[in-house]
Amino acid sequence: MTITVIGAGYVGLVTASVFAELGNKVFCVDIDEVKIANLKKGIVPFYEPSLGEYISRNINEKRLFFTNSYGQSVPKSQIVFICVGTPPKENGEANLTYLFSAVEEAAKNLKGYTLITIKSTIPIGFEDDLEALVKKYAKTKYEFASSPEFLREGTAISDSLHPDRIIIGTNSKKAEKMLLELHAPLPGERIICDMRSAQLIKYASNSFLAAKISFANALATICERTGADVTKVVQGVGADKRIGHSYLYPGVGYGGSCLPKDVLAFIAQTRNFDYDFELLRAVDAINNGQVASLVNKVRQSLNLTEKQGKNLAGVEIAVLGLAFKPNTDDMRDAPSIKIINSFQDLGAKVTAYDPKANEAAKKILPDIKYSDDLYEAISNKDLMVIVTEWPEFAEIDLEKAKKLLKKPVIVDGRNIFDAKKVRALGFSYTGVGR
Ligand code: UDX
């Protein structure tokens, strides 16, 4: 099949690369000229393991093409995937400007029957507005479908090649057949439904994952108050197959471009349908509480009382990890931002180290120090705080770290260390929920 993918962000680039890898001819369109010029040379605008190799290989095999021109790609395509971002506006609502302009440009360039498939996460019910827009411009027969994407950053290619399920939201038998054929080489359960249900599946999945994480974070707080060990508690809870182990790890709270945004959007949208999603409001509140909890732990581990603790003036903190999770340089809604802002508000001086996200972080957190070396970052600091669980942090030479730090204090926001071992080495150690 010949396909156009509109939007060269995470979802767009991974979708384009995977469909090209499966043998289709794929055009990836974006309005950003610099981005497209770089992609033609195989330069990916963000860090994502193995994506660069997939892109280069498929460019060389002449299955993947990058262009700024809708006219060069859309008329030749049987399916057009809309993969542009719908970032939140100041008021939390989704900004649909890119979505509407991408759909309008696609509509103007349709030639012959084309299936327009939405992968972007769009508010429930907006498919009607998109259809109205296409109707205004299209001079040919077209149909609509929604096929949400569930890839995770850091494992995007492998998630897309091994999906648990493929959602095909459409009322058209022809569209259903085309999408089934396109996805035929991929594993996973096929779920055929209407477009609105497809959109709801996306919001519900991300919200449920967020709820599991907040549940684990609430358990961690209870464990801190009762003296239980949350790592054992979630191990025991997750061993029940009905619950499962994944997304049950407490920490500094969930971040990234999807979970926080989709939880808030789901709350806002269900309110429009006269439903107060109290459960999700609690999920969001627990998540926000994780930042304050970590800051408190820093205070307590330096023996600063609550009264003095309003003030971390003069305290030098090494923050290890900035990205919202390992294996990405993505800083969108990263918990590190709120944590570092709190440290700064309390007067602390922060030096940060992240194996991949230092550069991206500099734009958001311009007035902290950055280090390109883990040991240099912790040198002469009052304590080190783990914010992202990069594997190299768990491998740190703790004897060396103890000598470099001013005080042997670790606040571990991701439970990467064995508490007993670290304490046996003479550290003051505070994890999450144990
Ligand atoms: C998520 C969804 O998983 C994916 O299906 C969707 O398409 C996009 O949103 P992603 O944003 O890449 O993917 O991140 P994910 O790996 O799900 O992690 C989200 C956040 O939750 C991270 O900040 C992570 O640190 C945190 N998390 C995850 C926990 O705190 N505990 C856990 O047990 C799991």
Side-chain angles (χ1 to χ4, degrees):
M1 274 188 212
T2 303
I3 294 166
T4 290
V5 171
I6 303 178
Y10 261 102
V11 174
L13 286 177
V14 175
T15 302
S17 308
V18 166
F19 284 136
E21 185 77 12
L22 296 179
N24 301 286
K25 182 171 182 180
V26 184
F27 293 95
C28 184
V29 187
D30 198 290
I31 48 169
D32 186 329
E33 289 179 12
V34 179
K35 205 187 226 183
I36 290 297
N38 280 331
L39 282 163
K40 281 181 180 170
K41 293 183 233 156
I43 302 169
V44 185
F46 46 82
Y47 174 72
E48 176 64 35
S50 74
L51 178 59
E53 293 151 39
Y54 272 73
I55 289 179
S56 302
R57 181 167 59 247
N58 284 290
I59 292 177
N60 291 339
E61 300 283 335
K62 304 215 174 343
R63 287 190 298 250
L64 180 58
F65 304 87
F66 289 98
T67 175
N68 294 118
S69 158
Y70 287 85
Q72 252 176 33
S73 54
V74 175
K76 298 184 190 121
S77 303
Q78 286 102 57
I79 306 182
V80 173
F81 281 101
I82 310 289
C83 299
V84 295
T86 52
K89 292 194 281 195
E90 289 275 301
N91 62 3
E93 274 174 30
N95 179 352
L96 303 178
T97 322
Y98 309 114
L99 178 76
F100 279 105
S101 77
V103 170
E104 183 177 321
E105 287 308 313
K108 286 177 183 164
N109 287 285
L110 297 179
K111 200 173 164 200
Y113 172 89
T114 317
L115 172 59
I116 302 170
T117 306
I118 313 290
K119 272 203 177 284
S120 308
T121 305
I122 60 167
I124 302 155
F126 267 79
E127 70 277 4
D128 298 343
D129 301 73
L130 294 177
E131 281 211 63
L133 184 66
V134 177
K135 201 170 176 186
K136 197 167 147 196
Y137 293 102
K139 297 187 186 72
T140 183
K141 183 159 170 48
Y142 63 87
E143 279 178 314
F144 261 99
S146 170
S147 182
E149 184 53 63
F150 300 98
L151 59 85
R152 288 164 300 172
E153 293 179 18
T155 50
I157 291 278
S158 124
D159 284 350
S160 300
L161 287 172
H162 307 101
D164 289 333
R165 76 294 213 192
I166 289 162
I167 310 294
I168 297 179
T170 182
N171 296 323
S172 148
K173 275 284 158 204
K174 183 170 178 174
E176 177 187 324
K177 196 167 161 266
M178 283 171 80
L179 287 172
L180 283 173
E181 200 181 310
L182 179 68
H183 289 93
L186 298 175
E189 189 178 339
R190 271 58 174 159
I191 291 150
I192 317 286
C193 57
D194 59 280
M195 280 184 79
R196 195 164 283 196
S197 302
Q199 285 159 251
L200 261 164
I201 289 170
K202 174 73 185 188
Y203 281 114
S205 301
N206 277 348
S207 297
F208 193 81
L209 294 173
K212 273 190 98 175
I213 299 167
S214 279
F215 191 85
N217 282 326
L219 282 180
T221 303
I222 296 162
C223 288
E224 282 165 14
R225 294 182 190 182
T226 56
D229 179 350
V230 79
T231 53
K232 293 291 168 200
V233 174
V234 294
Q235 194 184 351
V237 172
D240 184 327
K241 286 195 185 67
R242 294 171 301 172
I243 299 172
H245 290 292
S246 58
Y247 287 82
L248 215 46
Y249 295 95
V252 292
Y254 57 79
S257 65
C258 288
L259 263 48
K261 162 180 92 110
D262 287 353
V263 167
L264 292 180
F266 206 19
I267 295 171
Q269 286 171 44
T270 46
R271 199 170 280 141
N272 293 338
F273 291 88
D274 256 346
Y275 184 71
D276 177 8
F277 215 142
E278 285 174 277
L279 178 65
L280 284 187
R281 285 199 282 121
V283 166
D284 179 54
I286 292 169
N287 198 53
N288 292 331
Q290 291 309 102
V291 170
S293 161
L294 187 91
V295 174
N296 244 334
K297 284 173 184 166
V298 166
R299 243 187 234 133
Q300 280 164 4
S301 59
L302 294 173
N303 296 320
L304 296 168
T305 65
E306 194 61 39
K307 207 171 154 207
Q308 294 169 289
K310 283 274 163 244
N311 191 352
L312 284 176
V315 175
E316 294 197 59
I317 305 177
V319 169
L320 301 187
L322 294 164
F324 82 98
K325 66 173 187 179
N327 287 322
T328 178
D329 59 358
D330 199 340
M331 285 295 294
R332 283 177 289 176
D333 259 324
S336 66
I337 301 171
K338 284 186 191 155
I339 291 168
I340 290 175
N341 283 337
S342 300
F343 287 157
Q344 287 185 306
D345 289 346
L346 296 171
K349 284 193 183 138
V350 175
T351 301
Y353 167 73
D354 187 286
K356 292 285 177 201
N358 275 7
E359 286 313 309
K362 281 176 190 167
K363 292 174 206 135
I364 304 162
L365 297 161
D367 46 6
I368 59 168
K369 273 195 199 157
Y370 291 89
S371 177
D372 292 329
D373 180 81
L374 167 54
Y375 294 102
E376 186 193 83
I378 62 172
S379 180
N380 271 321
K381 304 301 179 306
D382 290 287
L383 80 163
M384 63 185 200
V385 180
I386 311 291
V387 174
T388 314
E389 68 279 32
W390 282 96
E392 68 174 82
F393 298 161
E395 303 296 315
I396 192 169
D397 178 344
L398 286 166
E399 297 280 7
K400 186 171 168 185
K402 198 176 159 195
K403 284 188 196 125
L404 289 172
L405 285 163
K406 262 195 269 182
K407 296 169 192 157
V409 179
I410 299 175
V411 173
D412 180 358
R414 297 284 189 173
N415 287 346
I416 63 168
F417 293 118
D418 179 329
K420 267 194 198 144
K421 268 194 201 158
V422 179
R423 285 189 188 122
L425 287 169
F427 280 94
S428 144
Y429 175 82
T430 316
V432 183
R434 57 193 187 143

